[in-house]
Amino acid sequence: MQSKILLLAALSAVAQARFGVEGAAQAGIQALSAFGAPGAAGTLAGQTPGVLLAGANACAKLSLADEIVSQLGTDPEVLAGAAALVAAEKNFNPNAQSIPTLCSDASLPATAALRGIVPLVDPSVGGADIENALSAQSLKQPLDATGLSVADIVTANGFTNFTAQAAA
Ligand SMILES: *[C@@H]1O[C@H](CO)[C@@H](O)[C@H](O)[C@H]1NC(C)=O
């Protein structure tokens, strides 16, 4: 009994830590209020949770990242916020799926500075250690994305345990 409670507490701590990672993408966009039209950053930040839902199309957050740059500009702070969204983990419902979905549209994201960045995946997925290391690395030094979708890029770099999904 005691160990069950401890396990639940540990799982909940992990879930909260991971939720924090997802919430960080939204907070990062919210913080860009000095850029773009008044209220634009707030509106874009408000769209962030929707593209990170488990059921969201895997390409939707890439389109939103492009939209962020198109509305707020190419200041390094804006690019960093948009890059964090590209790298963010999409929610994962283990009851509905066993492997994550990644975007197979090679035209996304369109913003050159956002290409070659790949997302985190749920740590419980087989091969997630490879993917999550790639994601961290790609934020520092983008991976080769020439003509490649996010799904193609990670495949080329050794992570294949996902379902490719075209833009809606
Ligand atoms: C993919 O991940 C699922 C869920 O973690 C796991 O059951 C499966 O063994 C993995 N497959 C490969 C090829 O790593």
Side-chain angles (χ1 to χ4, degrees):
M1 191 65 197
Q2 182 75 5
S3 66
K4 222 173 202 175
I5 289 167
L6 285 176
L7 177 63
L8 282 177
L11 285 175
S12 137
V14 169
Q16 280 172 17
R18 298 195 39 249
F19 178 78
V21 171
E22 292 155 10
Q26 179 180 7
I29 309 305
Q30 187 79 49
L32 300 171
S33 58
F35 304 96
T43 302
L44 291 161
Q47 293 167 358
T48 304
V51 300
L52 295 176
L53 290 177
N57 183 283
C59 300
K61 73 192 180 90
L62 305 180
S63 300
L64 181 59
D66 280 334
E67 187 62 27
I68 287 164
V69 175
S70 117
Q71 286 194 33
L72 306 184
T74 54
D75 186 277
E77 257 186 79
V78 174
L79 292 177
L85 176 58
V86 173
E89 178 185 331
K90 209 153 76 65
N91 275 296
F92 187 77
N93 179 356
N95 297 319
Q97 56 186 149
S98 61
I99 55 175
T101 52
L102 295 179
C103 180
S104 65
D105 187 329
S107 69
L108 294 173
T111 308
L114 299 178
R115 294 189 60 81
I117 297 169
V118 299
L120 296 168
V121 297
D122 189 292
S124 71
V125 171
D129 51 338
I130 299 172
E131 176 63 16
N132 291 338
L134 280 176
S135 177
Q137 178 196 331
S138 72
L139 275 174
K140 294 182 192 131
Q141 175 71 50
L143 301 162
D144 179 18
T146 316
L148 302 180
S149 68
V150 165
D152 295 330
I153 296 167
V154 304
T155 301
N157 285 278
F159 178 68
T160 54
N161 204 7
F162 64 88
T163 305
Q165 188 175 38

